């Protein structure tokens, strides 16, 4: 009897031990997880830009490595506060343009092509917050090109200009390039455009990309050599724009990095195996440029991958499956995978986008996330709302603060953000805001503020997207 009593006395402790061993996460649920945020002011744009035009050829011809700079670096004599306001304005316009794209695509019975999916995503709408410098033609003439994962068509301004906006470098003259070739009307390449035109006099295919604000670029569809750090990529289909009207920034054009057939990654899939990645630095803490890599070297060994899913109505965007969100180590109540589901009509879903700054979540998910964060940050002094942000704090006079952790749970990959990726400065007076926002549309967008510091890997061949922390 005495032996049985001893064993029965131990049974409850044994049960508790097994429970803790099998379900370790439950043991932490009562203790909110936090991390330290070191406070910084709004970043100043870089005073000078250095570019690798004179650098030697890259050692591997099947790999491209580029420096990226934020679009604010092309703005001069602007205060950090004004640049931040402009960034939020571009951001709102871009989100609205994506909504227009989806509304148009889902109202049609046919699947959108790579061309049509880029119709309302443009430079004037904040397309791509980052740019690089590359050469066009033979011999190469260098200019700034915005990079955009939310559009497909590659285009730049060309002489003769019927109407060209102001850019930093001379406008490209195709007659001075030995590698320039117009795409013939009726060719398979021309037919990839949503609404191809034809210059009957020159027998050359024509393109037009129209933007939601009335801006557009129009010209000849052609093939040309693009040069990255003296590594040439031949016969890339580009739009040579002779009529480009609208409020564009000073870049020469746009390098489309979307998922459609006319994007740069899709066109160069054989050479670079449809793989590219970028790492965007936090400009408030780092002076080095962001970077982009094409080819097998783009795939980080430490990346955690989530599958890409397809929108049956639209080719361009990179859709992923978001299952839930945790704040302070606990799943946010009210957020489930059903809020982010992409349906068969092409509505809803979650995309990864380099050109959107602030992550947008469908309204019910955002409210649940915001409320959970507010509960975890009750010790911080609240500040008035700022622009699209409704959860702000007065952190003036402090060097660092503790904030609850935020983790996005994708299928197959949990992404835990550094504190600086979701509580950001909005002025130079110590005001910081929770860098998420709600949207009334069904589309959710993971923006570039949340992506900072991660190497984001786009593996189109493997139909997956990966996140490698501390990847810059």
């Amino acid at each position: 009897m005495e032996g049985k009593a001893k064993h029965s006395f131990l049974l409850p402790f044994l049960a508790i031990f097994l429970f803790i061993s099998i379900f370790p996460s439950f043991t932490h649920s009562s203790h909110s997880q936090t991390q330290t945020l070191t406070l910084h002011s709004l970043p100043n744009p870089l005073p000078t830009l250095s570019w690798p035009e004179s650098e030697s050829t890259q050692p591997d011809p099947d790999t491209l490595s580029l420096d990226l700079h934020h679009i604010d670096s092309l703005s001069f004599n602007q205060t950090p506060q004004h640049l931040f306001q402009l960034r939020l304005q571009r951001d709102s316009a871009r989100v609205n343009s994506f909504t227009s794209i989806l509304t148009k695509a889902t109202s049609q019975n046919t699947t959108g092509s790579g061309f049509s999916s880029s119709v309302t995503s443009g430079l004037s709408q904040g397309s791509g917050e980052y740019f690089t410098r590359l050469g066009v033609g033979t011999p190469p003439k260098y200019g700034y090109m915005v990079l955009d994962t939310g559009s497909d068509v590659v285009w730049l301004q060309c002489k003769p200009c019927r109407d060209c906006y102001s850019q930093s470098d001379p406008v490209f003259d195709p007659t001075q390039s030995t590698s320039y070739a117009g795409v013939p009307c009726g060719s398979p390449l021309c037919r990839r455009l949503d609404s191809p035109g034809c210059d009957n006099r020159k027998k050359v295919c024509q393109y037009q990309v129209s933007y939601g604000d009335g801006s557009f670029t129009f010209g000849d569809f052609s093939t040309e050599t693009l040069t990255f750090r003296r590594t040439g990529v031949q016969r890339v289909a580009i739009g040579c724009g002779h009529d480009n009207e609208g409020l564009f920034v000073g870049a020469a054009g746009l390098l489309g990095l979307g998922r459609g057939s006319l994007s740069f990654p899709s066109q160069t899939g054989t050479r670079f195996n449809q793989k590219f990645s970028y790492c965007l630095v936090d400009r408030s803490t780092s002076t080095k440029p962001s970077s982009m890599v094409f080819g097998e070297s783009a795939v980080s060994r430490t990346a955690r991958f989530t599958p890409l899913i397809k929108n049956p109505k639209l080719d361009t965007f990179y859709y992923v499956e978001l299952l839930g969100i945790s704040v302070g180590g606990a799943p946010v109540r009210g957020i489930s995978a059903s809020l982010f589901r992409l349906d068969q009509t092409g509505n809803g879903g979650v995309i990864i986008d380099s050109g959107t700054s602030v992550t947008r979540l469908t309204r019910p998910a955002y409210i649940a996330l915001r409320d959970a964060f507010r509960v975890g940050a009750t010790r911080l002094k609240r500040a008035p709302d700022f622009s699209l942000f409704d959860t702000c704090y007065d952190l003036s006079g402090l060097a660092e603060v503790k904030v609850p952790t935020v983790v996005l749970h994708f299928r197959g990959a949990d992404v835990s953000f550094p504190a600086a990726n979701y509580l950001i400065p909005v002025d130079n007076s110590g005001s910081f805001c929770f860098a998420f926002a709600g949207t009334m549309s069904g589309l959710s967008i993971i923006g570039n503020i949340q992506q900072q510091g991660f190497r984001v890997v786009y593996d189109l061949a493997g139909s997956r997207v990966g996140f490698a922390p501390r990847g810059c």
Side-chain angles (χ1 to χ4, degrees):
M1 287 294 293
E2 190 178 25
K4 287 184 179 179
K6 283 183 180 179
H7 289 305
S8 62
F9 177 75
L10 291 171
L11 281 174
F13 295 97
L14 181 62
I16 292 171
F17 173 77
L18 288 172
F19 181 83
I20 292 173
S21 301
I22 297 171
F23 303 106
S25 61
F26 287 4
T27 65
H28 301 291
S29 60
S30 61
H31 302 288
S32 178
Q33 295 177 9
T34 63
Q35 59 181 329
T36 300
L37 170 65
T38 302
L39 304 182
H40 297 278
S41 298
L42 284 172
N44 282 297
L46 294 173
T48 58
L49 300 175
S50 60
W51 293 97
E53 291 176 29
S54 59
E55 287 187 8
S56 59
T57 303
Q58 298 183 82
D60 184 355
D62 295 328
T63 297
L64 290 180
S65 179
L66 316 175
D67 285 347
L68 306 181
H69 284 283
H70 193 266
I71 205 72
D72 285 352
S73 300
L74 290 180
S75 299
F76 303 101
N77 301 319
Q78 302 277 6
T79 66
Q81 291 92 331
H82 183 61
L83 289 174
F84 186 69
Q85 289 279 12
L86 292 176
R87 186 179 187 184
L88 294 181
Q89 290 174 20
R90 292 194 304 268
D91 216 43
S92 294
R94 182 174 176 85
V95 172
N96 290 338
S97 74
F98 280 2
T99 303
S100 299
I101 292 169
L102 286 166
T103 299
K104 180 177 180 180
T106 54
S107 65
Q108 297 173 343
N109 294 323
T110 56
T111 300
S113 69
F115 177 81
S116 65
S117 64
S118 68
V119 163
T120 55
S121 172
L123 290 173
S124 61
Q125 308 247 3
S127 261
E129 287 284 283
Y130 291 85
F131 66 95
T132 193
R133 191 166 176 82
L134 57 86
V136 181
T138 306
K141 301 297 183 183
Y142 285 83
Y144 300 126
M145 295 284 278
V146 169
L147 297 102
D148 185 12
T149 54
S151 61
D152 293 325
V153 175
V154 182
W155 65 267
L156 78 161
Q157 298 198 110
C158 286
K159 290 182 178 180
C161 276
R162 190 180 314 164
D163 197 334
C164 283
Y165 60 87
S166 176
Q167 65 177 60
S168 302
D169 294 281
V171 174
F172 179 70
D173 185 352
T175 64
Q176 301 301 306
S177 171
T178 59
S179 52
Y180 179 90
V183 173
C185 301
S187 68
L189 193 56
C190 184
R191 288 197 296 269
R192 284 200 217 171
L193 293 167
D194 184 50
S195 302
C198 181
D199 184 328
N200 291 316
R201 183 175 59 83
K202 296 189 292 186
K203 307 296 183 186
V204 171
C205 179
Q206 292 184 315
Y207 82 101
Q208 177 167 324
V209 180
S210 301
Y211 301 98
D213 63 354
S215 307
F216 62 87
T217 173
F218 168 81
D220 299 329
F221 204 46
S222 59
T223 59
E224 184 56 287
T225 296
L226 301 183
T227 301
F228 303 80
R229 288 187 176 175
R230 295 193 172 182
T231 297
V233 182
Q234 298 177 343
R235 296 191 58 77
V236 178
I238 67 171
C240 200
H242 301 295
D243 192 350
N244 315 286
E245 298 184 20
L247 303 175
F248 296 96
V249 296
L254 183 144
L255 191 74
L257 300 174
R259 210 175 169 189
S261 66
L262 287 174
S263 74
F264 182 76
S266 295
Q267 288 194 57
T268 58
T270 302
R271 180 165 178 178
F272 302 119
N273 203 18
Q274 297 187 73
K275 293 180 174 70
F276 71 97
S277 67
Y278 54 72
C279 196
L280 309 176
V281 300
D282 182 346
R283 294 177 298 119
S284 62
T285 60
S286 177
T287 57
K288 70 177 183 179
S290 299
S291 63
M292 174 171 280
V293 180
F294 292 89
E296 290 296 332
S297 299
V299 182
S300 170
R301 293 179 181 177
T302 61
R304 295 291 302 273
F305 285 92
T306 185
L308 282 168
I309 56 179
K310 285 220 169 192
N311 186 331
K313 299 291 186 179
L314 199 63
D315 292 342
T316 300
F317 298 151
Y318 292 97
Y319 283 89
V320 290
E321 196 172 356
L322 183 59
L323 304 179
I325 304 176
S326 293
V327 171
V332 176
R333 292 181 180 180
I335 293 184
S336 63
S338 61
L339 290 176
F340 306 114
R341 189 164 292 132
L342 176 65
D343 65 28
Q344 289 303 305
T345 65
N347 288 306
V350 179
I351 65 172
I352 307 290
D353 181 47
S354 64
T356 301
S357 291
V358 178
T359 289
R360 303 307 208 281
L361 299 175
T362 188
R363 189 86 185 146
Y366 170 69
I367 292 174
L369 171 64
R370 176 201 67 189
D371 291 350
F373 184 84
R374 286 178 176 177
V375 169
T378 51
R379 294 184 178 181
L380 301 182
K381 181 182 177 182
R382 288 292 297 271
D385 296 354
F386 183 93
S387 185
L388 76 168
F389 301 122
D390 63 5
T391 300
C392 300
Y393 300 92
D394 178 2
L395 306 182
S396 57
L398 302 174
E400 60 181 35
V401 293
K402 293 286 188 182
V403 296
T405 56
V406 176
V407 181
L408 298 193
H409 303 286
F410 297 101
R411 182 169 297 282
D414 293 339
V415 179
S416 179
F417 294 126
N421 287 30
Y422 55 87
L423 197 59
I424 64 169
V426 297
D427 58 27
N428 285 326
S429 303
S431 299
F432 282 70
C433 294
F434 189 52
F436 288 82
T439 174
M440 298 308 293
S441 76
L443 179 69
S444 296
I445 306 170
I446 309 301
N448 60 47
I449 291 174
Q450 280 65 40
Q451 296 174 47
Q452 284 178 169
F454 290 89
R455 181 151 293 279
V456 184
V457 181
Y458 294 78
D459 180 2
L460 280 68
S463 191
R464 58 184 188 162
V465 172
F467 303 87
R470 297 176 295 279
C472 295

